[in-house]
Amino acid sequence: MRLIDRNTILWLVVVAIIFSLVPIALGFNAYYVYLAAQIVLMAIMVLAWNIIGGYAGQLDLAATAYLGMGGAVAGLLLTFYGITPWVGVPLGALAAIGLAVLVGYPTFRFGIKEVWYALLTASLVVIVQRVFWLIYGSTEIYLPYYEWSWLYLRFSRYEPLYYILIVILLFVLWINIVIKRSRLGYYLAAIREDELAAEALGIDVRKYKLYALIIYAAILGFVGGIQVSLTSIVTYRMFDPWLAIVVAVVGLIGGLGSVPGVLVATVVLRTIEEYLRSTLGAVIPGLYLLIYGLLIVIVGILKPEGIGGFIESLKRRLHKGGTQ
Amino acid sequence: MGINIKKVYTLTFGLGIALTAVAAALIMTFSRADPYIGLLYGLLSWVIVAMGGLGGVMGVLWSGLIIGIIESLGMTLVSAGARELFIYLTFLIIIWLRPRGLFGRR
């Protein structure tokens, strides 16, 4: 397995350039850069979900449990003990991995699949949220203020965090590509297509599903710490069951296991959502959600295989045109 | 076998929605209504059905009863804010012990 090749580098460089130019195109407007950062954050979450949901085919609805876990650890360490996020964020990722193993090991050991897996992970978000609520209450905990500190990752502008998020996005894209081509990726694809057949072929299904879950949780835990720096607050609302479902829905719309499809779906859907909210939100509240929901239903009906399938068919058509 | 799949799916879907609407109308007699009320009951009803085991009536009845009792006990004995904690923790543990639900076939 090659970790990197020319095509991948080209792909990543193009994505990096496009995303780096966004703040310039937005004229460094603080609000728009913040929204752009939120979109990149969502893209990272959906790409992380792609590993467990797209490659391994497990409908996981616990994205925000791991995200919030990482955010809570990094944020609380900074607020109460003054520990820099450079230490706190990796610790948050470790905490998320701990949670993933704690829940994932028995879940895969007892062979929980399909609907039951989806519901179990959805309940996990609520459980972690309530535990956090019982300990820290419903008040928001504010991170300490620094004018411009790289040590504590606190800035008076959003651009530094936006570029940090882009670096993470590129890393997650690369991980997605590497896993797809690796032995682990083929095992996961076999598990997704037919778990019984995969087990009969001698694949340790439990182990590889747990690996996928750990990678997914680690990415989310890590990015959770950055999210806390971005929003400046630690609150029980970070463990949002609704957002976890949205992550899975966007991943499904992007097309199971298709990296470009997932990336395009997230960026397009999130941008449309924010655009509709800012234009229609003040006129008729709630209308943007109606249009957004209808859009998702239409994509689901017209392209059940997601945007990834659309990109594939477009590519095939372009190739045909080239050879003829 | 001559079963019109489309018709049966549409009929069951419609029937389910109609029954939900009737239940929701009854809830309105003692509870509040807002556009986000679906989030509160969506996951909960799904969890109760899955806990009882799909495709059975007795299972749903029992799991609904268990969830209701645990919810009320937890609220009065521990903390009202921990209501969901008890519901979903019960679900988690029961699903770990019986992966197909209480009355589900193995």
Side-chain angles (χ1 to χ4, degrees):
Chain A
M1 177 190 70
R2 289 171 67 192
L3 285 180
I4 200 98
D5 64 62
R6 262 184 61 197
N7 243 332
T8 315
I9 295 177
L10 204 71
W11 219 83
L12 290 180
V13 167
V14 169
V15 173
I17 291 172
I18 292 173
F19 276 98
S20 310
L21 291 177
V22 166
I24 301 168
L26 295 172
F28 295 104
N29 177 313
Y31 176 62
Y32 288 136
V33 173
Y34 176 76
L35 285 188
Q38 288 286 345
I39 290 168
V40 175
L41 193 76
M42 186 75 178
I44 295 169
M45 287 167 70
V46 178
L47 281 166
W49 182 87
N50 191 41
I51 293 168
I52 184 94
Y55 293 165
Q58 307 296 312
L59 186 59
D60 193 291
L61 300 177
T64 42
Y66 306 120
L67 185 86
M69 192 78 187
V73 169
L76 294 174
L77 280 178
L78 175 60
T79 318
F80 293 141
Y81 303 101
I83 292 171
T84 155
W86 293 101
V87 179
V89 170
L91 282 180
L94 274 182
I97 291 175
L99 181 68
V101 173
L102 194 71
V103 179
Y105 185 79
T107 302
F108 295 138
R109 165 69 187 78
F110 298 134
I112 289 148
K113 302 172 214 179
E114 299 154 23
V115 195
W116 291 275
Y117 182 78
L119 284 171
L120 193 135
T121 48
S123 346
L124 177 67
V125 182
V126 184
I127 292 171
V128 183
Q129 184 206 57
R130 284 295 112 184
V131 170
F132 185 89
W133 189 91
L134 281 177
I135 301 172
Y136 293 100
S138 57
T139 46
E140 286 153 353
I141 300 161
Y142 286 86
L143 263 56
Y145 175 81
Y146 292 95
E147 180 72 34
W148 195 273
S149 161
W150 276 100
L151 179 62
Y152 292 105
L153 284 186
R154 304 283 294 136
F155 307 99
S156 48
R157 297 186 65 86
Y158 292 117
E159 282 86 359
L161 287 169
Y162 177 78
Y163 285 107
I164 289 174
L165 280 172
I166 287 186
V167 172
I168 299 174
L169 175 72
L170 291 175
F171 181 70
V172 175
L173 270 174
W174 178 71
I175 291 236
N176 264 274
I177 294 168
V178 167
I179 287 184
K180 194 168 190 172
R181 285 187 204 146
S182 68
R183 184 187 289 256
L184 175 64
Y186 289 117
Y187 283 166
L188 292 179
I191 293 169
R192 177 186 63 202
E193 297 305 333
D194 193 334
E195 205 173 313
L196 268 179
E199 205 161 11
L201 283 173
I203 297 173
D204 192 344
V205 172
R206 265 195 247 154
K207 189 167 100 184
Y208 290 106
K209 280 203 284 194
L210 194 62
Y211 282 175
L213 187 70
I214 286 174
I215 297 170
Y216 158 75
I219 295 170
L220 284 170
F222 194 89
V223 86
I226 307 292
Q227 188 217 21
V228 161
S229 286
L230 189 70
T231 56
S232 308
I233 49 172
V234 182
T235 156
Y236 75 98
R237 286 192 195 83
M238 290 188 306
F239 306 94
D240 183 358
W242 181 239
L243 182 61
I245 293 172
V246 170
V247 167
V249 167
V250 175
L252 286 170
I253 294 231
L256 283 181
S258 161
V259 178
V262 165
L263 189 64
V264 169
T266 324
V267 172
V268 171
L269 282 177
R270 275 293 286 175
T271 314
I272 289 177
E273 188 191 351
E274 289 299 341
Y275 177 75
L276 287 175
R277 196 204 327 246
S278 61
T279 49
L280 295 175
V283 190
I284 307 169
L287 185 64
Y288 78 96
L289 276 177
L290 183 69
I291 297 175
Y292 181 64
L294 276 177
L295 208 74
I296 289 181
V297 171
I298 290 169
V299 173
I301 291 173
L302 291 182
K303 277 276 160 198
E305 71 274 23
I307 294 174
F310 180 68
I311 292 175
E312 281 301 311
S313 69
L314 206 69
K315 236 196 241 167
R316 234 174 287 136
R317 211 169 291 170
L318 279 177
H319 269 281
K320 235 188 238 164
T323 47
Q324 271 167 1
Chain B
M1 296 293 173
I3 297 172
N4 188 342
I5 298 174
K6 259 188 199 164
K7 196 175 151 191
V8 172
Y9 270 146
T10 318
L11 196 72
T12 43
F13 186 70
L15 217 61
I17 299 289
L19 286 174
T20 313
V22 171
L26 290 174
I27 282 176
M28 288 311 110
T29 56
F30 62 89
S31 177
R32 74 202 154 82
D34 62 59
Y36 295 100
I37 199 161
L39 300 183
L40 187 65
Y41 291 102
L43 189 59
L44 184 64
S45 55
W46 204 4
V47 156
I48 289 173
V49 172
M51 198 175 113
L54 298 184
V57 180
M58 273 321 279
V60 176
L61 210 63
W62 275 110
S63 70
L65 203 64
I66 292 170
I67 291 275
I69 290 172
I70 285 178
E71 179 189 352
S72 307
L73 277 180
M75 271 171 80
T76 31
L77 295 180
V78 186
S79 159
R83 180 178 152 251
E84 282 126 330
L85 179 65
F86 293 109
I87 299 175
Y88 295 110
L89 212 56
T90 316
F91 173 69
L92 190 86
I93 290 163
I94 287 186
I95 286 299
W96 273 349
L97 298 178
R98 293 195 57 93
R100 289 271 172 253
L102 282 176
F103 290 81
R105 262 175 281 145
R106 285 261 164 184

